Amino acid sequence: MSETDDLAEIAAERGIQYFLISYVDLFGVLRAKLAPAAAISGMQKDGAGFAGFATHLDMTPAFPDMLAIPDPSSLIQLPWKPEIGWLASDVVCGDKPVAGAPRTILKTQIAKAKTAGYAMKCGVECEFFLLQPDGAEISDAADAQPKPCYDQQALMRRYDVIKEICDSMLALGWKPYQNDHEDANGQFEMNWEFDDVLVTADRHAFFKFMAKSIAEKHGYRATFMPKPFNHLTGNGCHMHVSLYRDGKNVFADPEGELGLSSTAYDFLGGVIHSAEELCAVFNPTVNSYKRINAPVTASGATWSPNTVTYSGNNRTHMIRIPGPGRFEFRLLDGAVNPYLGPAAILLAGMDGIANKRDPGKRLDIDMYAEGYKLRGVKKLPLNLLDAIRLFDKSKVVREGFGDEMVDSYVKLKTAEWNSFMGCTSPWEREHTLDC
């Protein structure tokens, strides 16, 4: 870690020749400009100019330049191209922060929690497939076991890719601790240590870029698409969440049920209360709803929820409490925006604390086998349009995110849904052509 925030000095110290000045738009797409180190002082002061309308932000071509101001604390030197430094940025337009910019949205929720004396920490479990370059098939034709989870042979056939990604995380100081072949053929998961929510969000955004870049280097294509294959388990992005005050984990209570405090259960109650209404953020694509409402896959389980329930160390529920002091939120999928996902969890959790929301009774049944027996349990939306409508009408969401952000997100996501509905699928032709 450099003792200065001056990016020109850091570039000289580390041999950085270029900087990627990046931001993530509302659809989770990483945007960037490549600036030579010789120009970084001006960029650090004034920002890099973008036409916001040309990305997934609610702007028009008449808007002035949107400026991305790089955050020096986010600097990551690319391990596979060390002459390049990556920077997360905060975007402004007309001298004001862009209200619909995901990193700004997360920082706003962080500031609200800080006012109440809290700071969220989290870790993510990123799942992805390694595919052939055209995306049509998985990269390893020999990866064909009916239950491929933790398959050592399949893992080691892609050792060179996984090793390079893991070595990169080690070099960056992220403290990765395990890598495995996941439940679908061609699917992998890589884990690194949890941290403050903004640090984790920046790293999550960078991880997706890094995994894709290193996969391309090896002749493959990495995808975080929620459900790329009908018969295989989809890509989740499970998030482990805890809350701190004055450096102490306030979720931890050795006397509490399953090692969680009353504050943790209030936070959990807020997440339970607003899960349906925030599904448009947690599961942001048309394809997302083929993961959370999927039939049983070839491996025997979808590993994704379709109801709003919580449990102890039981992976068939939306929320799992694997041990003291934290919970695992299993609803998020691979398409989740690295900033909006944690922002939504923090928003809902802080609402739960403020209103002492009751999460209800813990359920310990196997939801995959016995969930049909339950009555009165909230179901998750069946499609993106239903999710958008719930998001749009939510009082908690509008009070937490603000009308400007909600209206922008609803507008852009509704346009995405309408685009999908304007396309006739092969399934429709197969089942309706001879009607």
Side-chain angles (χ1 to χ4, degrees):
M1 182 68 71
S2 177
E3 294 181 0
T4 179
D5 284 340
D6 187 305
L7 290 171
E9 290 185 23
I10 294 171
E13 289 173 5
R14 300 190 188 179
I16 296 174
Q17 300 172 24
Y18 287 90
F19 288 92
L20 281 166
I21 301 175
S22 301
Y23 71 93
V24 172
D25 68 21
L26 272 175
F27 283 16
V29 181
L30 192 60
R31 311 288 183 167
K33 283 199 171 179
L34 184 65
I40 197 61
S41 291
M43 297 289 183
Q44 184 169 8
K45 178 184 176 184
D46 300 321
F50 292 81
F53 170 75
T55 72
H56 296 299
L57 292 171
D58 187 16
M59 296 181 175
T60 74
F63 273 56
D65 274 358
M66 185 181 74
L67 300 171
I69 311 296
D71 180 352
S73 70
S74 71
L75 175 62
I76 298 173
Q77 197 165 351
L78 276 57
W80 67 98
K81 288 187 187 297
E83 72 275 16
I84 300 174
W86 178 88
L87 290 157
S89 303
D90 297 308
V91 293
V92 299
C93 189
D95 296 324
K96 294 194 306 182
V98 176
R103 197 170 192 262
T104 299
I105 292 166
L106 176 56
K107 290 176 77 173
T108 299
Q109 298 306 315
I110 292 170
K112 288 181 180 179
K114 185 178 180 180
T115 299
Y118 296 108
M120 183 172 127
K121 294 191 177 186
C122 61
V124 289
E125 299 177 355
C126 290
E127 296 175 348
F128 60 94
F129 283 83
L130 288 176
L131 308 180
Q132 295 291 349
D134 65 2
E137 298 177 350
I138 64 172
S139 67
D140 181 4
D143 186 353
Q145 282 209 46
K147 292 183 80 71
C149 204
Y150 314 122
D151 182 351
Q152 180 172 289
Q153 289 297 131
L155 173 65
M156 293 308 292
R157 281 196 297 272
R158 291 295 171 264
Y159 169 76
D160 290 345
V161 183
I162 301 302
K163 177 184 183 296
E164 185 168 355
I165 299 171
C166 191
D167 284 350
S168 295
M169 290 193 284
L170 286 167
L172 294 170
W174 292 12
K175 299 180 181 177
Y177 55 90
Q178 63 184 14
N179 313 292
D180 67 77
H181 188 291
E182 270 298 308
D183 193 62
N185 306 108
Q187 187 185 45
F188 301 87
E189 178 180 305
M190 306 185 73
N191 306 132
W192 66 91
E193 196 167 86
F194 74 99
D195 212 312
D196 291 336
V197 60
L198 184 61
V199 172
T200 294
D202 285 339
R203 289 177 178 177
H204 184 187
F206 183 82
F207 176 82
K208 294 178 75 172
F209 165 62
M210 175 168 64
K212 292 174 183 178
S213 298
I214 291 174
E216 286 176 2
K217 178 180 170 183
H218 288 265
Y220 308 124
R221 182 175 184 174
T223 181
F224 295 83
M225 182 178 177
K227 187 75 170 174
F229 302 102
N230 292 335
H231 65 297
L232 299 178
T233 304
N235 284 321
C237 184
H238 306 152
M239 183 172 288
H240 292 255
V241 179
S242 52
L243 200 67
Y244 285 71
R245 183 196 286 272
D246 299 326
K248 180 183 177 183
N249 184 352
V250 296
F251 276 9
D253 181 356
E255 304 300 320
E257 185 177 327
L258 299 179
L260 292 188
S261 66
S262 59
T263 299
Y265 281 105
D266 289 344
F267 190 104
L268 194 62
V271 175
I272 292 279
H273 176 79
S274 297
E276 300 161 285
E277 297 164 0
L278 286 165
C279 219
V281 169
F282 300 142
N283 309 103
T285 70
V286 170
N287 181 254
S288 295
Y289 298 84
K290 296 182 178 178
R291 169 184 169 265
I292 61 174
N293 292 297
V296 173
T297 59
S299 69
T302 67
W303 299 111
S304 59
N306 60 16
T307 52
V308 182
T309 58
Y310 79 100
S311 185
N313 200 352
N314 179 338
R315 288 179 170 85
T316 66
H317 292 259
M318 185 184 79
I319 294 175
R320 177 174 75 110
I321 303 172
R326 64 186 166 103
F327 68 83
E328 178 191 37
F329 190 55
R330 298 178 59 80
L331 180 55
L332 281 69
D333 65 43
V336 69
N337 190 299
Y339 299 99
L340 294 185
I345 292 173
L346 184 53
L347 179 159
M350 292 307 299
D351 170 72
I353 290 174
N355 293 287
K356 293 194 173 297
R357 298 204 186 272
D358 183 358
K361 182 182 177 182
R362 189 183 86 236
L363 298 174
D364 294 321
I365 65 171
D366 179 345
M367 284 298 292
Y368 297 156
E370 302 177 78
Y372 71 93
K373 298 178 182 178
L374 298 176
R375 297 292 180 267
V377 176
K378 293 194 295 183
K379 290 277 191 179
L380 294 168
L382 292 173
N383 56 59
L384 180 61
L385 181 61
D386 288 347
I388 293 167
R389 288 170 171 167
L390 288 167
F391 183 81
D392 188 20
K393 294 176 182 177
S394 170
K395 181 180 177 182
V396 171
V397 170
R398 285 194 171 273
E399 288 182 353
F401 279 147
D403 288 338
E404 184 177 353
M405 180 275 177
V406 173
D407 290 343
S408 292
Y409 195 75
V410 168
K411 174 183 173 182
L412 294 176
K413 280 293 169 183
T414 300
E416 181 182 16
W417 173 263
N418 290 338
S419 173
F420 164 68
M421 290 302 294
C423 297
T424 300
S425 69
W427 185 95
E428 291 172 275
R429 291 182 61 81
E430 181 181 340
H431 287 80
T432 321
L433 203 59
D434 294 322
C435 65

